Structures are given as C-alpha cells and as structure tokens.
Amino acid sequence: MSFLQFLWYAVICLLFIMFLVLDGADFGAGMASKLLAFRPAESNMIVRSISPHWDGNEVFLIAAGGSMFATMPFWYASLFSGFYILLFLVLVSLIFRGVAFEFNNVAETPKGKNAWMWVTAISSTTAPFLLGMLFTAMIQPVPMDSHGNVFVSLFNVVNPLSVLGGLAVTALCLFQGLHFFTLHANGIMRYRASSLAANLYWAAYPVEVLFAIALFFQTDFFKDHLFSTLILLVLIVFTTAWGHLSTGMRKEVQAYIANSLTIAFVVILVFVGLFPHVLIAQNPVNSLLIKNVSSSPFTLTVVTIVLCILLPILTTYFIWSYVIQWKRHDLSEFENTDKGAY
C-alpha cells in the first residue's frame, strides 16, 4: 500500500467524522424540535440555531462520497451498488429534511407548520439511523464475488449489530444537537436541552456494552485489531462519561467537545477495524483491499494537490461562518411574531 492510498483512506474517514460532528448537530436539533418544543415559537427557536449551517454541513457527506469515487472507485462501486436501497433511503430522508425546513418556514397555517415540523423530526431521525446501519453493515462479512459484486440479503443489512449501530449514531446525533443548542439558547429552552441530554446519557452505557458484544460476535475486529479496538472502545466510554458529567455540571462547551470526540472515535473504530480492507467478503479471497481498489498514482497525486489547495479555504470558511453566526437566542424573539426559523 502506498502513502497516498493510506492518506486518502484517512481523508475519507476524516470527512465522515466532520459530517457527523457538524451535521450530527443538525440532525439532533431536528429530533429535538419535537422532544423539547411544545409550541411553534419553541420549535422555531431550535431550528433557528442550525439554519445558517445545516445545508453547508451536508457538503462533507458529498465530499466523502466524491473522494471515495475519485480515489477508491472500486470501493465506491461495490458499496453503493451493494447497499443501494439503504443509501437510497438515506437520500430520501435528506431530501425530505431539506424540503421540510423550507416549507415549514413558508407554511401559512399552524397545521401546516406543525406537519412540516414533524417531517423535520422524523427525517432527522431516520437519516442518522440509516447511516449508522450502513456503517455497521459494511464492517461485517458480506456475500461478494471475485468481481466485487455485493449481494446483500435483508439479514446482512438488518441484524443486531446494524440496529445497534443505527441506534448509537442516532443517539450521538441527538446528544450533539442538544449540546449545540445549549450553546445557542438562553432561558428555559437551554435548561430543557441540558436536562434531556443528562437523562438520556444513562441509556448510552448499556447500548455501548451491547454494541461491543455484537462487535465481538459479528466482526473480526477483536481478532484482527485487538488492541486498537479495545483502546477505542475505552475512549468511547470515557468520552461518553465526560460528556455526561459535563452536562450534569452545565459545562456546555466541554459536553459538546466530549460528544464530538465520541463521534470521532466511533468512526475511527469502523475504519481501523476494516483496515487494510474496505469491504470484507464472506469468502476472504474476495475481500476488497485498499491497495486493490485505489485509483492510479497519477490520479491520487492530482486529487491530493486539489485537496491541499481547497482544504485551507474550506476550513477558513467554516470557522468564519460558525464564528460570525454564533449568537444566543431568547424565546421572546419568537413569541407573538411571524418570525420563522430563518
């Protein structure tokens, strides 16, 4: 395996981390719009906290898919064709979420606004759940022929590990959304978000234990990467406890950082566990290796140059956009007014 092949495997991992950290907060806020809010003004306040960023954050998902297509096209082809229905449902959820944000803002009746807010909450839940299922389905051995054609059955997609993976990613996004919202809210809504997160953290520990057990029985992570898997699982539990403790102590910035690290460690666990494969076949001879699915050295060199040019620009833009848009909102701004989420 060359350095550039390894570099792009790491870059794709980083892009998925950035997507789940940034857009995970958007998913979580969408879920919270029906968990925390009981009146339209409260829903609008929650959605307002993410409205400047949610569409920009989805760029990281597109960038991850585009990077996979450009640098590891055989992985892209096998993954996207083998898990086509799951990816299609993710896309449908993302489309409905984007439509719901816009239509809720222009709906003229309370019933219409409430209906679109439900669409926001449901699509913000299904998208991370399906992505979690995808991540954990692709780390398990799948039926695959020598040409990289994947023939998944329902059990390959829906099984204990993939369901736990879906629940875990959904919960992480909800925590991320609640922590993000506490950084942008004042008053009762800030208190509600913090209290809900503190209570929900108690459910995270049994899910993590069950996830580790399912990981042991349904993957080769403990067999092929024992120490790195154990270290990452310990880090996941540690950052979860850190986030829980910080939430209880109302240290909101620390809670947000801790949950962001938990998300990062979960994604790293997936990529480290797969390494040096990108897809594992039930017949090991047919498994896809990084060195066999990558583009030519020339292509990797060109996209690396593009990355070096664009990365500082994108990083600067995202930091600037978050800094310039940062503001704590009061519920009074949304009371007795037609002011929507935008």
Side-chain angles (χ1 to χ4, degrees), residues 40-52:
E42 295 171 349
S43 299
N44 287 338
M45 182 180 176
I46 294 172
V47 175
R48 179 65 183 85
S49 68
I50 60 169
S51 60

Side-chain angles (χ1 to χ4, degrees), residues 20-21 24-25 28 31 128 165-179 201 204 208 236 239-240 258-264 266-267:
L20 287 176
V21 167
M31 293 181 232
L167 289 174
V169 173
T170 305
L172 286 169
C173 291
L174 177 57
F175 288 138
Q176 194 75 348
L178 292 173
H179 294 321
Y201 263 113
E208 288 178 352
I236 289 168
T239 50
T240 302
N259 195 65
S260 299
L261 289 174
T262 306
I263 292 173
V266 168
V267 178

Side-chain angles (χ1 to χ4, degrees), residues 2-3 43 70 85 106 109 142 156 162 203 213 220 254 258 263-264 281-282 287 299 314 323 341:
S2 69
F3 169 74
S43 299
I85 294 177
V106 297
T109 65
V142 293
N156 294 122
S162 67
I213 293 172
D220 293 329
Q254 285 193 32
I263 292 173
Q282 290 178 345
S287 295
T299 301
L314 288 175
V323 169

Side-chain angles (χ1 to χ4, degrees), residues 2 42 55 89 118 130 132 141 172 233 240 262 269 274 329 341:
S2 69
E42 295 171 349
D55 47 356
L89 293 175
W118 271 109
L130 294 168
L172 286 169
L233 287 175
T240 302
T262 306
L269 176 68
L274 275 177
H329 294 282

Side-chain angles (χ1 to χ4, degrees), residues 167-303:
L167 289 174
V169 173
T170 305
L172 286 169
C173 291
L174 177 57
F175 288 138
Q176 194 75 348
L178 292 173
H179 294 321
F180 185 80
F181 181 63
T182 59
L183 295 172
H184 292 77
N186 277 323
I188 185 65
M189 295 301 290
R190 181 182 177 185
Y191 173 77
R192 277 190 209 165
S194 186
S195 299
L196 179 61
N199 291 327
L200 287 177
Y201 263 113
W202 292 110
Y205 303 110
V207 171
E208 288 178 352
V209 172
L210 291 173
F211 182 78
I213 293 172
L215 206 62
F216 178 81
F217 286 106
Q218 291 186 239
T219 72
D220 293 329
F221 280 27
F222 286 90
K223 177 184 172 186
D224 297 337
H225 305 280
L226 177 62
F227 292 108
S228 58
T229 299
L230 288 175
I231 289 170
L232 285 166
L233 287 175
V234 169
L235 288 172
I236 289 168
V237 174
F238 172 76
T239 50
T240 302
W242 180 22
H244 191 179
L245 188 62
S246 300
T247 304
M249 298 172 69
R250 300 293 190 264
K251 294 183 177 179
E252 293 153 350
V253 174
Q254 285 193 32
Y256 180 80
I257 293 172
N259 195 65
S260 299
L261 289 174
T262 306
I263 292 173
F265 290 139
V266 168
V267 178
I268 291 171
L269 176 68
V270 168
F271 276 74
V272 169
L274 275 177
F275 187 85
H277 302 92
V278 289
L279 279 177
I280 300 172
Q282 290 178 345
N283 181 355
V285 176
N286 296 332
S287 295
L288 297 181
L289 292 161
I290 296 171
K291 64 181 180 181
N292 295 333
V293 301
S294 300
S295 299
S296 67
F298 175 76
T299 301
L300 292 178
T301 302
V302 170
V303 291

